[in-house]
Amino acid sequence: MKIKFFFLTFFMCLVMTAQKGTISGTVTDKDMNNAPLQFANVGLKGAGVGVTTDEKGKYSIKAEAGNYTLVFSFVGYETIEVPIHVKAGETVTIDKALGSGSFKLEDVVIQKSVNREKETVLLLEQKKAVEIKQSIGAQEMSRKGVSDVEEGLTKITGISKVGSRGLFVRGLEDRYNNLLINNLAVPSNNPFKKIIPLDLIPTDVVSLIETYKTFNPDIYGDFAGATFNVVTTTKPIKSITKLSLGTGFTTNNNLRDFNLPTSAGSTKGFFGFSGSDRDLPSVFGSTPNPPITVSRNDAINAFKNGFGMEKSKSPLNTSVGILHAEKFDVGKNKLSYLFSINFDNSYQFRQGVDRTLQAGSLIQYSNNFRRTTYDYKTNLSSIVGINFSTERFTVSTSLLYLKSTDSQIQDQLGVQSAFANNPNYLIRTNQFEQSDFYNGQIFGDYKITKNKNHVLKYGGSLAQTKFSQPDRNSYTGTYVNDQEVIVSYGGNNFLRQYLDIKSNLFSSAFLEYQWKFGSDNKLTVGYNGNHNFTKSSYRFINTIKNFNSASTFTVNPYEIDNVIRQDLLDYEISFQEQSNANWKSKLEETINAGYANIYFKINENLGINTGLRLEKYNRITKYKEIGSWDQNYLKIKTDDLYVLPSVNAKYSLNEKTNLRLAISQTYTKPVIMESFPISIVNPDGTVFQGNPYLKNSTNTNVDFKYEFFPTGKEMLAVGAFGKNIKDPIERTFVANPGTTIMSFLNSEKAVLYGIEAEFILDLSRFSESLKDFTWGFNTSVMNTKVTVPSTNISPTGNVSQSIETHRERELQGASKWLINSDVKYDFKFTKDWTNTVTLVYSVFGKRIYSLGTAGIDHVYELPVSKLDFVWTSKVNKHIDVKFSADNLLNPYYRLELGDNNKDTFTEASHRIQDYKKGVGFSLNLSYTF
C-alpha cells in the first residue's frame, strides 16, 4: 500500500511540474552603474510562490501556467510591476534595473543595506532626522555633473559659491563655516580661508556630504553659517576600477597668447612641482639678522628662479583620474579598500580695472590700474581608504593628500599716485603659490551589546599643512610695448618676498557613547577636540645698486634675467636681505569639548533632541614688534569657556508633513590670517594686515521650518531663521595716504533674520508628458542690521575712535537674497544607454565686500548670475560621458564703491574691480573595467 502511494505521489508531482513554467532574470541598480542588486524582492502578485536568488542578483521563480504580474521591489528603489504570461515547460527571462523611489519611513532603521548615496534615501533621512540638516549623495552629484565637493554643496538650499572665496551660507561668508571629514576636525590648507577649498576634493571618493545649518552638541560650536561633514567612501558598494580623462576649453582663456613664469614652462612646472626651485636660498640662513648680502657668481648660483617670463599659447585644460576599489570576504567579516588619484590643470586669463581709494577733502583713486593676470593652476588629490568590519566592530582608515599650485604673472598698468604724471606706470608681479595638505584618519564603532543598543564610536587624525609664496618677485617701470619696459634698480624695485605659513601638527579626536533605550529614545555623551600649531616666516630680498651709473634703462621683459645676470657679474647690483622684525609669528589654538545629548520621542508625532556642550577654547598668539630683534615674543592670549545649549524639536503633523524648531548658542572664531600678526605688503603698495586683538563672535540662533514630502522623490520646505551676533568680525579697508590697508575689526553686534524656501518637484504631476522632468529650486531672503561700536582695537593694539563712515549698516559679506535652481531631464537612447540633462542656475544679491571708513562708503560686491548645462550619459556598463557648459551667461564679477560717501567723490566711475571668467566647455570620458 505504501509503495502504491509513493508512486502515485511521484506521478502527480511529475504532472504538476510539467504544467509549470519558469521566470528568471537579473535585478540591477540602474543608478549605480547597473550593479547587481542581490537583496531585491521579486515575486508574483497574489501567487504566493517562492523565489530563489543568489549573490549576483539573479532570481528564479516556478509558477503554474497562466497570467501574472511580476513585482520587483526593494528599500530605496521604485517598485516595478510587469504583466507576464507563463507557459508550461518554458522559461521566460525578465531583466530589470531598479532606480530611486519611495519607501516606508521605518525601512531606513530596519534595513542594513540602505544605500546612503541615493537621493531618495537622503531625502527620507532628512525627513526622519530631528535636527535640521540636508545632505547630497554620490547619486545626485553624479546626475548633476558635479565633479568636486564645493560644487556639490552649491546644490543645497541657501549655499552659493563666490569665485575663489569659497562657500557662502545664507549670505554669510567663509569665516562662519566649519568643516569635518568623517566627523573629525581638519585644518585649512590655506590660512586665508576658514576651511579647505572643497573644489580640491573630487566626488569620486565621497559617499555623501552632510550640511548642518543648526547646532547639535556633537559638532564643534564654531559656526554660524553651516558645518559640513564630508563622508569619504571607505566601504565601496562594489569592486570597481575606473579611468577618467577630461579636457576643457574656456573662451578667452585657452588657445590664446599666455605669459607664464619661466619655472612653469618645464615638465616639473606643468605638474606643479616647481616650487622647490623658488625656495629661499640657504645662504641667507634661518634668521634674517644680521642681514646677508650676495653678489656676482654667488648671487647667480643662489637663485634658481628669476624675474623673467615666457610667452606661449595656452593649451586646453586637462584632467585625469584613476579609481580602484575592491571588496573581500574574510570568513564572516568584510574587508575593502579604495584608492584614487586625480590631477587637473587650468589656464585662466583675467583682465579688468583695479583701483584703490584715498580719503581727504576729496575722495579719489590712489591707484587706477588695468590689471591683467595669467594663472596656470594645478590640483592633485589622492586618497587611500581601508575598511574592516565584523558584525559588531568596524574600523576604517583614510589617508588624504591635497596639493594645489598657482603660477601667476600679473600686470598692473595705469596711474599710481606717486607717479601721477605717468599714465603707463607698470607693476609686474611674478608669483608662485602652493598649498599642501596631509591628513591621516582612523575611525569606526563598536556595538557593545548584540542588540546594538549600546554603541561606542571613535576617531582620531593627524594633519600637516603648508602654504607658501616662494620668491614672489616684482619690478616697476614705464610700459612702452610688450618688448620694451623702462626700469631702474634701487628702492623696493626688483624685490623678492618669501612667505611660508606651516601647521606642522594638527590633531583631532572624538569618542562617543550612544545608548538606545525604550523604543526610540537615545542618550549620547562624548568628547571631541583638536589642537593646531601654526608659524610663519616672511623674508625680503632686495636688489641694491652698487654704483651711481645710469639709473634707468630699457629691457625686454622676456630677456630681463640675462640683463640682471650680466649686471651681477659686473658688480652693478647685489642681493641683500632686508626683512624686518615682523618676519616670524606663531599661533597655537586648542579646543577641548564635552557634550551630552538626549533624544526623547514624546509620542508618535513629537520628538525632542536637547543637549549641552561645554567647549574650552584657547588661542595664544606670539610675535615680535617691528624694529626689535629681541628673541622675546609679545604674547596675546584668548581663553574662553563656551556653554552651548541646543534644542531641536520635530512635530509630525502626518506621515508627509513636519514642523521643526531649533534654538542654540554658538560662536565664531576668525580665519587664521584675519587674526595673525603679520603685514603682507603687495607690490602695488596695498597691505594685508591681520588683527591679533580680534575677539570671537558669539551667536544666538533660532530656526523654524515647515516640511512637506508629497512622495518619496519630492519635497517642499519653508523656514524662518534669526541670529544675534555679538562682536561680529568684518573686513575693512583703511585708506591711508599712500597705501590702502585691508584688515579686520569687531563690530558691536549684528541682528539678521530671514526666510528660505526649497522644493523638489516631479513635473509629471502636471502632465504625463513631463514624467522625465524634475525641478529643484531654493531661495533665501535675509535682512541684517549692524551696530557700529564707538571704539575699535586696531591691529597694533591701540584703542581708538571708530573711523567707520556709517553708524548703522548691513552685515559685511551678507547677501539680502540668493537663488539656486535646476531642471533635470532623464531619457534613453537605447535600453542600456541612459542620459540625464541638467540646467543649473544661481544668483546672489548685492552685498558689502569691505566696510567704508574715513568718509568713504562701503565697497559692494554686485550680483552674479551663473547658468550651467550638464549632460551625463551612461552609454553602457563600461562607458560614461559627461559634457558641461559652464558660466553660459559670462557675467562681470564686479566690486563697486557705494553712492553714500560723506565727502565728494571726484572720479568718473565707481568701479573698483571687475573681470569676466569666460564660458567654459568640458568633456569627460570614464571607462569602468
Side-chain angles (χ1 to χ4, degrees), residues 18-205:
Q19 292 177 342
K20 287 186 176 182
T22 302
I23 312 165
S24 65
T26 303
V27 189
T28 59
D29 182 351
K30 68 182 179 183
D31 297 316
M32 299 301 296
N33 297 321
N34 286 326
L37 191 59
Q38 66 185 84
F39 295 106
N41 300 317
V42 188
L44 299 183
K45 183 179 285 188
V49 295
V51 182
T52 60
T53 61
D54 65 12
E55 71 279 4
K56 296 181 180 179
K58 296 181 178 178
Y59 69 93
S60 178
I61 305 174
K62 291 189 179 297
E64 301 287 343
N67 295 317
Y68 296 92
T69 298
L70 185 62
V71 181
F72 300 84
S73 64
F74 181 60
V75 174
Y77 298 79
E78 71 218 320
T79 297
I80 296 178
E81 297 185 358
V82 180
I84 188 170
H85 179 69
V86 178
K87 295 182 179 180
E90 294 185 5
T91 298
V92 181
T93 301
I94 303 291
D95 296 325
K96 276 296 170 185
L98 304 188
S100 298
S102 60
F103 45 92
K104 295 180 181 178
L105 190 62
E106 59 268 25
D107 289 337
V108 168
V109 179
I110 295 170
Q111 286 285 350
K112 294 187 298 182
S113 56
V114 168
N115 176 10
R116 294 184 74 225
E117 296 181 359
K118 300 179 73 65
E119 287 180 78
T120 46
V121 174
L122 294 177
L123 193 61
L124 183 65
E125 192 176 82
Q126 176 183 336
K127 176 181 177 183
K128 183 176 175 61
V130 178
E131 69 271 18
I132 300 176
K133 77 169 184 177
Q134 292 172 274
S135 301
I136 183 169
Q139 181 196 75
E140 184 177 358
M141 289 187 287
S142 175
R143 76 159 178 88
K144 289 183 176 178
V146 173
S147 58
D148 60 71
V149 170
E150 187 170 81
E151 187 182 359
L153 285 168
T154 62
K155 314 308 176 189
I156 291 177
T157 307
I159 300 179
S160 60
K161 177 181 177 181
V162 183
S164 61
R165 288 165 47 217
L167 296 169
F168 283 54
V169 179
R170 289 174 169 172
L172 299 176
E173 60 182 330
D174 175 68
R175 81 167 66 85
Y176 295 100
N177 301 326
N178 207 348
L179 175 68
L180 307 174
I181 297 181
N182 298 314
N183 294 303
L184 287 159
V186 292
S188 174
N189 66 331
N190 187 331
F192 292 91
K193 297 179 180 179
K194 186 71 166 282
I195 64 177
I196 299 169
L198 294 175
D199 55 358
L200 300 180
I201 304 178
T203 51
D204 266 353
V205 299

Side-chain angles (χ1 to χ4, degrees), residues 189-190 196-197 199-200 271-272 344 376-381 401-407 432-437 466-468:
N189 66 331
N190 187 331
I196 299 169
D199 55 358
L200 300 180
F271 289 104
D344 66 80
Y376 173 64
K377 297 186 176 185
T378 71
N379 291 319
L380 175 67
S381 66
Y401 173 60
L402 305 174
K403 177 187 178 70
S404 63
T405 69
D406 182 1
S407 299
F432 178 82
E433 183 175 290
Q434 176 174 318
S435 66
D436 294 275
F437 174 91
K466 180 181 179 181
F467 175 87
S468 61

Side-chain angles (χ1 to χ4, degrees), residues 583-603:
W583 72 279
K584 195 168 190 177
S585 301
K586 299 178 181 179
L587 173 68
E588 188 171 3
E589 288 184 303
T590 304
I591 295 175
N592 286 293
Y595 58 88
N597 194 52
I598 189 165
Y599 170 69
F600 273 114
K601 189 168 184 180
I602 308 300
N603 54 45

Side-chain angles (χ1 to χ4, degrees), residues 130 215-218 522-525 594-600 608-614 643-649 663-665:
V130 178
F215 175 65
N216 305 294
D218 58 338
K522 183 170 69 173
L523 171 69
T524 301
V525 294
Y595 58 88
N597 194 52
I598 189 165
Y599 170 69
F600 273 114
I608 297 178
N609 194 7
T610 184
L612 182 69
R613 179 181 181 89
L614 299 178
V643 180
L644 306 175
S646 73
V647 176
N648 289 273
I663 304 173
S664 65
Q665 186 84 23

Side-chain angles (χ1 to χ4, degrees), residues 91 99 175 183 203 372 473 507 518 536 560 703 814:
T91 298
R175 81 167 66 85
N183 294 303
T203 51
T372 303
N473 62 61
S507 58
S536 69
I560 195 169
D703 287 78

Side-chain angles (χ1 to χ4, degrees), residues 200-225:
L200 300 180
I201 304 178
T203 51
D204 266 353
V205 299
V206 173
S207 174
L208 75 152
I209 313 165
E210 298 174 312
T211 301
Y212 297 88
K213 295 182 190 173
T214 59
F215 175 65
N216 305 294
D218 58 338
I219 60 179
Y220 288 86
D222 173 26
F223 85 98

Side-chain angles (χ1 to χ4, degrees), residues 267-278:
T267 302
K268 287 172 59 177
F270 178 83
F271 289 104
F273 288 94
S274 60
S276 58
D277 293 339
R278 303 180 68 134

